[in-house]
């Protein structure tokens, strides 16, 4: 992979990179399509990174559909698929990690200790191997995208970090490999994340600016769904990820909710433009 990447760089080509954990869906493929429109060659990776799963999390049973994934990437027009073995990525004696201080221990980082250190480390390793001009990430994982952007800036990485929109099912549920775990009644209940964020979006469009009232309404909505258990509902500054009391600048409404055994996340992007607020699901 390094050889291919070096050659592309030496030829002055603009490599695009889409890192994934496989079990590919239309959300992943939207990143691939954006990469293909902007870069050549495009490299995708599939690596279910063991270190970013907590001891009680779903590493063993994480969906693995390698054959189908390869076909989807090939059909989309991806030039290379990088699917390293865990033993190559973490050989015996591996010791180094990178931690983006402050942004990594809040929100998902509080519920999943060590998760973002592991994510930042694997993404840095993959970026070092692939050396892309641009690397494409989904806003579905907004905190992850924010942390990776910070890491790229802090470590003077050559790669530009591009954050792409959230792709949703027709009923609004954000696409996720973990949606495959949902039982039919849980799948119906899972739309509560979208409905709560959409409620916030509508309130904002009607002029609501008070973050406490917005988060209270989202929490109440989540509580109204018997199969849902709220982890967090927060309204934060998109740069610092610190809670805000009033909406201004760029903010994120972030939700993490457990539906049965499945933990789902989703978010709403709120941007101030010419004095009015634009909220995007
Ligand atoms: P994963 O395979 O879950 O690690 O995701 C790989 C990349 O795809 C990450 O940058 C995710 O943010 C992105 N992604 C996952 N789901 C979606 C979605 N529904 N819409 C857009 N991007 C997504």
């Amino acid at each position: 992979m390094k050889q291919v990447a070096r050659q592309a760089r030496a030829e002055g080509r603009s490599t695009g990179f889409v890192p994934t954990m496989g079990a590919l869906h239309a959300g992943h493929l939207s990143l691939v399509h954006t990469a293909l429109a902007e870069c050549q060659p495009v490299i995708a990776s599939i690596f279910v990174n063991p270190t970013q799963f907590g001891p009680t999390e779903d590493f063993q049973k994480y969906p693995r559909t390698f054959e189908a994934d390869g076909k989807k990437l090939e059909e989309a027009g991806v030039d290379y698929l990088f699917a390293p073995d865990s033993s190559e990525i973490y050989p015996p004696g591996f010791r180094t990690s990178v931690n983006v201080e402050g942004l990594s221990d809040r929100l998902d980082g509080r519920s999943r200790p060590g998760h973002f250190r592991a994510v930042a480390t694997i993404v840095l390793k993959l970026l070092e191997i692939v050396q892309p001009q641009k690397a494409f990430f989904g806003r579905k994982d907004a905190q992850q995208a924010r942390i990776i952007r910070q890491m790229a800036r802090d470590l003077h990485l050559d790669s530009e970090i591009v954050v792409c929109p959230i792709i949703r099912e027709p009923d609004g549920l954000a696409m996720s490999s973990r949606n495959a775990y949902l039982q039919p009644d849980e799948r119906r209940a899972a739309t509560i994340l979208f409905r709560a964020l959409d409620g916030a979006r509508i309130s904002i469009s009607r002029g609501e600016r008070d973050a406490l009232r917005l988060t209270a309404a989202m929490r109440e909505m989540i509580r109204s769904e018997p199969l849902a258990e709220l982890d967090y509902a927060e309204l934060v500054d998109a740069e610092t990820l610190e809670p805000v009391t009033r909406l201004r600048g760029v903010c994120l409404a972030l939700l993490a909710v457990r539906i049965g055994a499945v933990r789902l996340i989703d978010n709403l992007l709120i941007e101030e433009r010419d004095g009015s607020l634009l909220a995007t699901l």
Side-chain angles (χ1 to χ4, degrees):
M1 188 72 262
K2 276 194 135 177
Q3 220 166 346
V4 167
R6 275 197 204 115
Q7 172 120 19
R9 213 172 150 93
E11 288 169 0
R13 297 161 82 201
S14 159
T15 300
F17 178 45
V18 181
T20 81
M21 300 206 299
L24 299 182
H25 50 66
H28 297 113
L29 294 177
S30 77
L31 305 183
V32 166
H33 292 308
T34 307
L36 284 164
E38 297 182 17
C39 301
Q40 162 62 222
V42 169
I43 300 171
S45 68
I46 296 179
F47 181 63
V48 186
N49 179 36
T51 59
Q52 73 189 62
F53 290 78
T56 61
E57 290 181 7
D58 54 347
F59 173 65
Q60 293 300 339
K61 66 169 184 125
Y62 193 82
R64 287 165 173 87
T65 57
F66 190 75
E67 296 276 303
D69 291 348
K71 221 163 143 192
K72 284 179 188 167
L73 293 172
E74 196 174 350
E75 278 168 14
V78 162
D79 298 278
Y80 299 96
L81 167 57
F82 179 45
D85 208 76
S86 188
S87 60
E88 265 182 300
I89 295 294
Y90 301 112
F94 181 85
R95 285 180 177 284
T96 305
S97 68
V98 48
N99 192 41
V100 178
E101 304 286 343
L103 299 177
S104 298
D105 41 23
R106 321 201 50 252
L107 301 161
D108 257 37
R110 180 156 31 188
S111 308
R112 308 182 69 187
H115 172 70
F116 286 120
R117 175 190 291 271
V119 168
T121 303
I122 186 62
V123 171
L124 179 59
K125 284 161 68 69
L126 292 171
L127 292 175
E128 283 296 310
I129 294 166
V130 175
Q131 297 278 314
Q133 199 98 27
K134 296 185 183 185
F136 297 83
F137 295 86
R139 202 195 85 218
K140 157 80 175 16
D141 301 278
Q143 186 177 11
Q144 166 177 289
R146 176 68 192 90
I147 287 169
I148 290 166
R149 236 189 203 159
Q150 186 70 40
M151 173 179 77
R153 194 188 302 167
D154 289 350
L155 300 182
H156 312 280
L157 301 188
D158 277 341
S159 308
E160 179 189 337
I161 306 301
V162 182
V163 182
C164 302
I166 302 176
I167 305 301
R168 300 177 178 280
E169 299 287 355
D171 64 3
L173 177 67
M175 289 194 180
S176 164
S177 306
R178 291 191 166 98
N179 292 349
Y181 301 146
L182 296 166
Q183 301 299 319
D185 54 337
E186 295 173 339
R187 171 63 187 79
R188 280 188 291 276
T191 59
I192 195 67
L193 286 89
F194 172 80
R195 287 183 278 141
L197 292 170
D198 198 40
R201 184 187 64 78
I202 291 166
S203 297
I204 292 164
S205 75
R206 290 181 181 151
E208 180 63 89
R209 298 290 179 264
D210 185 297
L212 294 181
R213 275 205 295 267
L214 286 164
T215 45
M218 287 194 293
R219 287 185 186 127
E220 198 175 324
M221 182 89 123
I222 302 292
R223 277 195 206 102
S224 75
E225 170 50 64
L227 294 182
E229 191 199 325
L230 181 69
D231 181 351
Y232 62 77
E234 286 200 42
L235 244 158
V236 303
D237 180 280
E239 192 68 12
T240 62
L241 302 182
E242 292 292 337
V244 294
T245 51
R246 272 192 85 70
L247 297 180
R248 73 154 64 100
V250 187
C251 296
L252 286 163
L254 297 160
L255 286 182
V257 176
R258 216 171 273 284
I259 309 280
V262 189
R263 188 171 176 283
L264 299 175
I265 57 171
D266 199 350
N267 68 84
L268 175 72
L269 174 66
I270 307 150
E271 297 165 286
E272 195 170 342
R273 291 223 185 125
D274 314 320
S276 60
L277 288 185
L278 178 69
T280 313
L281 279 157

